[in-house]
Amino acid sequence: MRHPALLLALVFLPIGTPALAADIDLLADCTTRVFTEINRTHKWSGKSPDNCPASVAVEKRTDGVLVTAWIIRNVEGGWIRTAFTGAMGYAEIARKKELAKASRDIKQRAGHLGRCLDSINSVNDPLDCRDRATKSYSAGEETGIENDRVVWLDDNGRHAVVEYAFGNTSSTPGPPADLFRGQPLPPGLIIDLHMNK
């Protein structure tokens, strides 16, 4: 007998699976463009870059900056949220050559994570990635089920994480809160890129 969570996943997979890797590549591109903006202006505007259809949040850490981009798509019977978070150190963001190299690394890692997520969703194999899945139920004013999967590379390399969530709750989901450990930066706050040079 099939598990109800698997049946729900199978209902959503035909809609979401083909777009997974493409969405992750798009989200990684959005994050690298935000890092480029921070390099140029030493702050974040609070807006998604031009031609980036994703929502974006920036979080400052002791040794660098995290940028998260996410897309929420409405599908028949619910929604799908795909998110990507990438990190850069202050010195990488401050120097053009290091920024370009770090951006390439982020995009490469995003592609790797996309392949792992596609494999998880098609044959339940995370390849060489690590993943964690949770399922939550809501009852009362808000009813429904939400499935959330986080995928990362366990190689002591650059922080890069993908979240893939889907559900059938009636309200539109918010940002991928599990990817944040702190509060997103408000727009216009100056970021000192010379902190750890």
Side-chain angles (χ1 to χ4, degrees):
M1 182 175 163
R2 292 187 183 272
H3 191 276
L6 180 59
L7 290 176
L8 183 59
L10 293 173
V11 168
F12 279 97
L13 281 180
I15 298 166
T17 299
L20 291 180
D23 276 353
I24 293 167
D25 290 342
L26 172 72
L27 295 170
D29 183 62
C30 290
T31 64
T32 59
R33 289 166 64 194
V34 171
F35 286 119
T36 300
E37 174 189 328
I38 295 170
N39 164 272
R40 194 177 64 254
T41 65
H42 290 230
K43 59 186 175 183
W44 181 56
S45 66
K47 299 175 185 173
S48 298
D50 290 341
N51 301 316
C52 170
S55 299
V56 177
V58 175
E59 189 178 333
K60 187 176 165 185
R61 297 285 177 87
T62 304
D63 54 352
V65 175
L66 289 181
V67 177
T68 299
W70 68 94
I71 295 174
I72 299 170
R73 299 187 189 281
N74 292 318
V75 295
E76 187 176 342
W79 50 264
I80 295 171
R81 180 180 64 217
T82 308
F84 174 79
T85 298
M88 280 193 201
Y90 292 115
E92 290 177 310
I93 300 169
R95 299 182 179 113
K96 297 267 188 210
K97 202 179 251 187
E98 283 84 350
L99 175 68
K101 183 178 176 183
S103 293
R104 286 191 299 272
D105 186 38
I106 284 174
K107 290 177 181 181
Q108 182 180 23
R109 293 175 79 77
H112 191 151
L113 290 166
R115 289 187 296 277
C116 290
L117 183 58
D118 282 344
S119 178
I120 289 167
N121 282 324
S122 61
V123 295
N124 200 27
D125 179 2
L127 303 176
D128 59 337
C129 294
R130 300 289 305 269
D131 73 307
R132 182 188 78 235
T134 58
K135 182 175 184 176
S136 56
Y137 300 86
S138 300
E141 269 185 49
E142 181 69 27
T143 60
I145 300 170
E146 180 175 329
N147 291 272
D148 192 296
R149 184 174 297 275
V150 177
V151 183
W152 69 97
L153 294 168
D154 192 16
D155 62 358
N156 295 317
R158 178 182 308 281
H159 178 83
V161 179
V162 163
E163 182 215 44
Y164 179 68
F166 58 89
N168 61 1
T169 52
S170 55
S171 64
T172 303
D178 286 347
L179 298 186
F180 299 113
R181 279 192 276 166
Q183 289 296 315
L185 283 179
L189 184 70
I190 299 296
I191 301 171
D192 182 1
L193 300 179
H194 304 284
M195 288 175 68
N196 287 343
K197 276 187 160 182

